[in-house]
Amino acid sequence: MEKQRKDGDVEAVPVVIGGMVLDIQATSSIPPHPRTTCPGQIYYVQGGVARNIAECMTKLGAQPFMISALGLDMPGNLLLEHWKSAGLRTEGIRKHKDIKTPTVCHILDVSGEVAAGVASVEAVEMFLTPKWIQQFKHTIRSAPLLMVDANLSPPAIEVSCRLAAESNVPVWFEPVSIAKSERIAPIVKYITFASPNEDELIAMANALSSQNLFCPIERNNCSTDTLFQMLKPAIWLLLEKGVKILVLTIGSDGVLLCTKGESISWRICLEKTQQHGFSRQLFENMTSSCPSNLYSDSKVLERSPNFLAVHFPALPASVVRLTGAGDCLVGGMIASLSTGLDVMQSVAIGIAAAKASVEVDSNVPSQFSLPTITGDARIVYSTAKLLQHQSKL
């Protein structure tokens, strides 16, 4: 099943493991009322955290290998046909008549935020098994980076991470939801990147502390600096437990990039990077306009011998819906890292990709504009700064 190069080695491509989901998105045109219907629009959208990330990567020029599971039902056929039409590889997707294709129904408010939702994604845990994943062990071990989403069962997450660790492949953990984010606890030692939002961060920190030490943050329109100070103990715990680089999304305030002893100029090893068409141009544009040495200490939110955090602002956007923003942030970052860009440059591209996603009515834009993505990324990169602080943890 695994794609071989002419020399017999498995092709080095980023691997994405997780759910492919049909999203049913209902947007109310007026504030909804309980116990009754209201006018609005209903859309069928190709979704799933891992699927969205892989599609975003592909449209930015990366060539991810997707490992997932689909049924032979209507949602599964719809998702698979869309996947094939985009030129994406299917050999890692398990297809079986007993699988009920994962489906999620979202109720969106007038601003595009999720007001409520119901997810039927049990098939990811039931059929995306360790045995299925192990069939692709050579692809995982050869990858520049492995991304796993927390829809996987704990045994499947563990075997995926262990296969990567055996060959020093960096692992990206995407928490998916508050409840499932707690699945990081048994495998935190394997994690290079994690990408929670504020609520998922708190849940992950509590799962790792085993004492529920952390409470949800009441923002009350506080500044980014104040928000960082409130979240810092939970951030530090994740870094202490083993996460190397934390990409914390803070909604309309952007992203906090946090590390403990890991360089923000971290890159994937050169021999595993690939550049194809769009990604090659993206790499060349970013390295020429946003070189790593452009970074200065004035952009550091906090630095100590063991801790560093940088704030990247969000970009103004004409919001249609927000459901794909976080996934395109991660997809943009992994695609960028896979070309050889560093973490700072990759966060900037991820935020630019997230902006593009919220301005369309699908989870991932039908295409990305190279001038727009690189132009927006330059803005993010050049404005990623806050005052330096001297306080210690």
Side-chain angles (χ1 to χ4, degrees):
M1 287 187 178
E2 295 180 304
K3 187 174 180 180
Q4 303 284 322
R5 291 176 172 173
K6 290 181 180 179
D7 60 7
D9 293 332
V10 174
E11 186 179 13
V13 294
V15 176
V16 176
I17 309 180
M20 300 181 74
V21 179
L22 180 65
D23 284 350
I24 303 171
Q25 298 183 353
T27 303
S28 173
S29 57
I30 63 173
H33 297 281
R35 296 179 297 281
T36 188
T37 59
C38 60
Q41 298 292 325
I42 296 176
Y43 301 90
Y44 292 95
V45 179
Q46 289 77 29
V49 170
R51 195 219 66 88
N52 291 345
I53 290 169
E55 183 180 356
C56 177
M57 291 170 62
T58 300
K59 289 177 177 176
L60 290 172
Q63 297 182 334
F65 185 92
M66 181 81 187
I67 301 176
S68 192
L70 287 177
L72 301 179
D73 48 14
M74 182 278 287
N77 290 332
L78 192 156
L79 288 165
L80 191 60
E81 285 306 309
H82 179 270
W83 195 253
K84 289 178 178 177
S85 68
L88 297 162
R89 297 167 61 179
T90 62
E91 60 263 44
I93 300 173
R94 186 179 185 185
K95 299 171 284 290
H96 195 279
K97 62 181 178 60
D98 293 335
I99 299 175
K100 182 180 179 182
T101 297
T103 306
V104 174
C105 180
H106 285 131
I107 307 298
L108 308 178
D109 62 24
V110 291
S111 67
E113 288 272 18
V114 175
V118 176
S120 175
V121 296
E122 297 82 5
V124 178
E125 292 195 29
M126 292 175 61
F127 293 94
L128 202 47
T129 61
K131 183 178 179 181
W132 178 259
I133 292 167
Q134 284 174 324
Q135 293 183 73
F136 307 100
K137 62 184 179 181
H138 298 299
T139 300
I140 293 171
R141 289 169 175 164
S142 300
L145 187 145
L146 167 69
M147 198 292 299
V148 295
D149 82 24
N151 282 315
L152 297 172
S153 68
I157 295 175
E158 196 278 334
V159 75
S160 302
C161 292
R162 180 167 46 78
L163 288 170
E166 289 170 356
S167 297
N168 296 315
V169 173
V171 176
W172 189 301
F173 178 82
E174 167 50 47
V176 175
S177 67
I178 294 172
K180 292 181 178 179
S181 66
E182 298 175 359
R183 294 180 179 182
I184 194 174
I187 47 89
V188 67
K189 64 182 179 181
Y190 298 120
I191 304 305
T192 306
F193 291 88
S195 45
N197 59 28
E198 299 161 49
D199 295 328
E200 292 162 350
L201 169 72
I202 297 300
M204 292 161 74
N206 281 327
L208 290 167
S209 70
S210 301
Q211 298 178 30
N212 290 325
L213 298 175
F214 304 95
C215 298
I217 300 298
E218 295 292 335
R219 297 184 64 163
N220 297 323
N221 296 317
C222 66
S223 68
T224 303
D225 189 14
T226 300
L227 176 64
F228 168 70
Q229 296 299 328
M230 293 190 291
L231 293 172
K232 188 166 62 175
I235 293 170
W236 179 249
L237 179 65
L238 263 66
L239 298 175
E240 279 278 271
K241 292 293 185 178
V243 174
K244 304 296 188 299
I245 300 172
L246 186 69
V247 182
L248 177 62
T249 59
I250 50 175
S252 60
D253 290 320
V255 170
L256 291 174
L257 175 67
C258 307
T259 73
K260 172 182 174 287
E262 197 71 46
S263 172
I264 51 174
S265 59
W266 183 95
R267 301 172 188 267
I268 287 172
C269 59
L270 182 61
E271 61 269 21
K272 287 192 173 185
T273 61
Q274 291 191 357
Q275 299 169 10
H276 306 276
F278 193 108
S279 66
R280 183 184 299 277
Q281 294 176 290
L282 195 62
F283 175 85
E284 292 172 351
N285 288 358
M286 285 301 291
T287 51
S288 63
S289 62
C290 302
S292 295
N293 60 12
L294 187 66
Y295 179 84
S296 68
D297 283 351
S298 65
K299 297 178 182 176
V300 176
L301 178 58
E302 174 156 339
R303 185 195 293 274
S304 75
N306 295 309
F307 182 73
L308 181 139
V310 183
H311 174 236
F312 293 78
L315 291 161
S318 301
V319 176
V320 175
R321 63 184 61 196
L322 299 168
T323 52
D327 300 339
C328 283
L329 170 74
V330 174
M333 282 197 66
I334 298 176
S336 303
L337 290 167
S338 297
T339 69
L341 292 173
D342 69 21
V343 173
M344 287 281 293
Q345 295 163 328
S346 298
V347 174
I349 291 174
I351 291 175
K355 179 203 170 189
S357 79
V358 304
E359 295 184 327
V360 297
D361 60 7
S362 57
N363 289 326
V364 181
S366 58
Q367 62 181 10
F368 289 105
S369 162
L370 180 67
T372 302
I373 288 291
T374 53
D376 285 343
R378 289 189 198 107
I379 294 171
V380 174
Y381 192 82
S382 64
T383 55
K385 57 184 178 181
L386 278 179
L387 295 176
Q388 185 173 350
H389 298 275
Q390 301 300 323
S391 62
K392 302 294 182 180
L393 284 160

